[in-house]
Amino acid sequence: MTDTLRDLLRQDADNVEIPTLDSNHVIVQGEQRLHRRRMTAVLVGVAAVALIAVGGIVASSVQQHSQGPVDKPTKTDKDQRPAEPQTRKIVYSNDLAGGRVGTLHVGDREVEIDQELHSVRDWSMFVTDAGAVYAQDDRSVWFTDGGRPRKIASQACVISAGDYQSLGLATGNAGPLVAWFDCAPATRGDLVVYDTSLRREVARHPVPSCESAHAPASLPSPRSACMPDALVGQHVYVGHFNDENQFVQHQYRFDLTSRQVHRAGQRTYLEDLRTQPRTLVFGDTWQTGAATEARGGSNPDYFRLVGSRLVPVDAGGWSTDDDTPTRAFTVTGQPVRLRLPSGYQPSASDVGTYFTIFEWLDDDTLALAQGGFSVVGDIITCRLSDGRCRLAVKSAGIVPGLPLPG
């Protein structure tokens, strides 16, 4: 070998490539390292939060076990809360022939109910926020919202027509509820409360005080001396027959919230009415007047036609031409001053020159039927806030809560 060591080292140095700096590659690598560091920090933070949450759940569970179970709202609880009042539909029929009601009007809809009646007295037709409830001759109870009727009870303590106090059904001026006693052989004769909006029972409760040997077999409660006679808010009032076979109203009150039955009486019932928006007070003053549900029934409330004004009268039963004029107030003390629509002429004079309240449509609107003793003429609706009325139905025929023709 002729080359010296120095020559060989110089030759190797000349063959080595000088490295060049790729700035873009360096930047990309730096960003990747930074991204990995950030992700690591995030994952560490999430793990810490999860650990804290698990610790909180464990601590909460330990605390609940140490303090006992905590009540939480359930779907059932929510379903049983009072529903918000809705605008009701006017219910009536002009199809009564041969002791049978054919077509029922529920607002602007017509439905065939084929309800057989054996009386010319009060009609077992009741209204809720959801539609109409009625009893058939076989003691079944039916509901319709304007569509096909649906059976909601097979053997209730009800009748299809008769004295209003002994029909066996009760609804309120507001809300979807209806109440009756169960007369099916296999049952205890419980008080039943049914929600026509939810389409199911919301309460079933025995009323021991109603078990009596004095219940007349001809009445809708052959197994009980009681019948529901009013429904005010969340309270069902129950009347009973005494030893003299006289019906005493509002003797018991079933509270849907507490599921308790208490003795009540007329005073409790009237005080309850004054807490409800759909109540009128008839009398000289709001303080001394008598609170009323202001709809059909045994003692309906009337307005006599004087010119274009509707003047409340103290009828004490069925209206006559010599009934004493009185005053009417809303539950808040506002005077009620109603007047007919301009140019309106009521139907034939044989119906009568008075109008009977038979239904509340909402907190401010009443439905009144011309006449009401046995023949119903026109139906008008009136607003309490301004006294204005309008014609709703011409020559209606029959309406809930008022007697049948005949």
Side-chain angles (χ1 to χ4, degrees):
M1 182 178 291
T2 58
D3 294 333
T4 64
L5 178 60
R6 179 179 297 176
D7 293 333
L8 291 172
L9 292 173
R10 182 181 295 113
Q11 183 178 354
D12 289 339
D14 291 338
N15 291 331
V16 174
E17 295 183 0
I18 300 175
T20 59
L21 179 64
D22 187 348
S23 61
N24 289 333
H25 179 68
V26 172
I27 292 172
V28 169
Q29 285 186 327
E31 289 179 346
Q32 289 177 347
R33 291 192 183 99
L34 180 60
H35 179 69
R36 286 194 294 271
R37 290 174 182 172
R38 288 176 176 173
M39 287 299 296
T40 301
V42 169
L43 292 174
V44 171
V46 170
V49 171
L51 184 59
I52 294 172
V54 171
I57 293 173
V58 172
S60 175
S61 176
V62 171
Q63 182 179 11
Q64 286 188 16
H65 282 290
S66 63
Q67 296 180 357
V70 177
D71 292 334
K72 296 182 180 179
T74 64
K75 183 176 180 181
T76 301
D77 294 332
K78 182 178 179 181
D79 288 344
Q80 292 185 2
R81 292 173 186 169
E84 290 296 325
Q86 302 175 6
T87 299
R88 292 188 169 185
K89 301 173 182 178
I90 298 176
V91 176
Y92 70 98
S93 177
N94 50 17
D95 184 16
L96 174 63
R100 190 179 295 272
V101 178
T103 302
L104 180 71
H105 294 259
V106 182
D108 58 0
R109 302 182 68 181
E110 297 182 3
V111 55
E112 294 297 323
I113 64 171
D114 192 30
Q115 184 187 21
E116 186 176 1
L117 306 175
H118 296 287
S119 172
V120 295
R121 291 178 290 175
D122 299 314
W123 184 25
S124 183
M125 176 65 61
F126 296 78
V127 183
T128 74
D129 284 358
V133 181
Y134 59 98
Q136 289 282 21
D137 190 50
D138 61 357
R139 297 185 183 275
S140 60
V141 181
W142 296 74
F143 167 76
T144 175
D145 59 1
R148 184 175 180 178
R150 173 179 177 174
K151 184 188 290 188
I152 59 177
S154 296
Q155 290 180 287
C157 303
V158 296
I159 58 176
S160 60
D163 186 347
Y164 193 83
Q165 291 181 337
S166 61
L167 294 175
L169 290 172
T171 61
N173 280 344
L177 303 179
V178 56
W180 65 79
F181 276 94
D182 194 343
C183 270
T187 65
R188 301 173 299 175
D190 292 344
L191 174 66
V192 175
V193 183
Y194 185 93
D195 190 311
T196 57
S197 293
L198 300 177
R199 307 292 200 270
R200 63 178 177 83
E201 289 184 13
V202 293
R204 175 179 284 268
H205 198 280
V207 185
S209 302
C210 290
E211 299 174 0
S212 171
H214 302 293
S218 60
L219 293 169
S221 278
R223 297 173 53 196
S224 170
C226 292
M227 287 181 297
D229 57 20
L231 203 160
V232 181
Q234 293 291 293
H235 298 149
V236 179
Y237 284 87
V238 175
H240 80 287
F241 290 90
N242 59 22
D243 295 348
E244 287 74 34
N245 197 21
Q246 297 173 333
F247 188 72
V248 184
Q249 291 182 306
H250 315 133
Q251 290 301 293
Y252 306 101
R253 186 175 79 176
F254 173 64
D255 189 303
L256 274 83
T257 303
S258 67
R259 295 296 197 269
Q260 298 294 317
V261 177
H262 300 282
R263 284 196 171 273
Q266 186 70 6
R267 180 175 179 178
T268 301
Y269 164 73
L270 293 176
E271 290 174 350
D272 209 355
L273 280 185
R274 284 186 178 262
T275 68
Q276 304 298 314
R278 300 185 189 183
T279 296
L280 292 185
V281 177
F282 280 72
D284 293 334
T285 68
W286 179 84
Q287 291 80 5
T288 62
T292 171
E293 293 182 68
R295 59 167 180 163
S298 301
N299 296 296
D301 299 296
Y302 297 93
F303 288 80
R304 183 191 301 163
L305 183 59
V306 179
S308 63
R309 296 184 301 119
L310 289 173
V311 178
V313 295
D314 184 11
W318 298 110
S319 180
T320 62
D321 292 336
D322 58 355
D323 288 325
T324 305
T326 187
R327 303 179 68 191
F329 304 87
T330 66
V331 73
T332 59
Q334 174 189 349
V336 176
R337 299 186 178 96
L338 306 181
R339 59 184 181 277
L340 296 182
S342 177
Y344 165 71
Q345 293 295 327
S347 293
S349 58
D350 59 343
V351 176
T353 58
Y354 58 94
F355 285 79
T356 310
I357 305 172
F358 71 93
E359 185 182 341
W360 287 75
L361 303 186
D362 55 45
D363 290 355
D364 188 46
T365 311
L366 295 169
L368 298 90
Q370 182 191 0
F373 178 70
S374 61
V375 179
V376 170
D378 302 337
I379 293 176
I380 61 174
T381 61
C382 300
R383 293 190 310 193
L384 299 174
S385 55
D386 58 16
R388 294 183 178 180
C389 300
R390 71 173 186 86
L391 177 64
V393 179
K394 195 71 175 174
S395 300
I398 55 176
V399 298
L402 299 182
L404 301 167

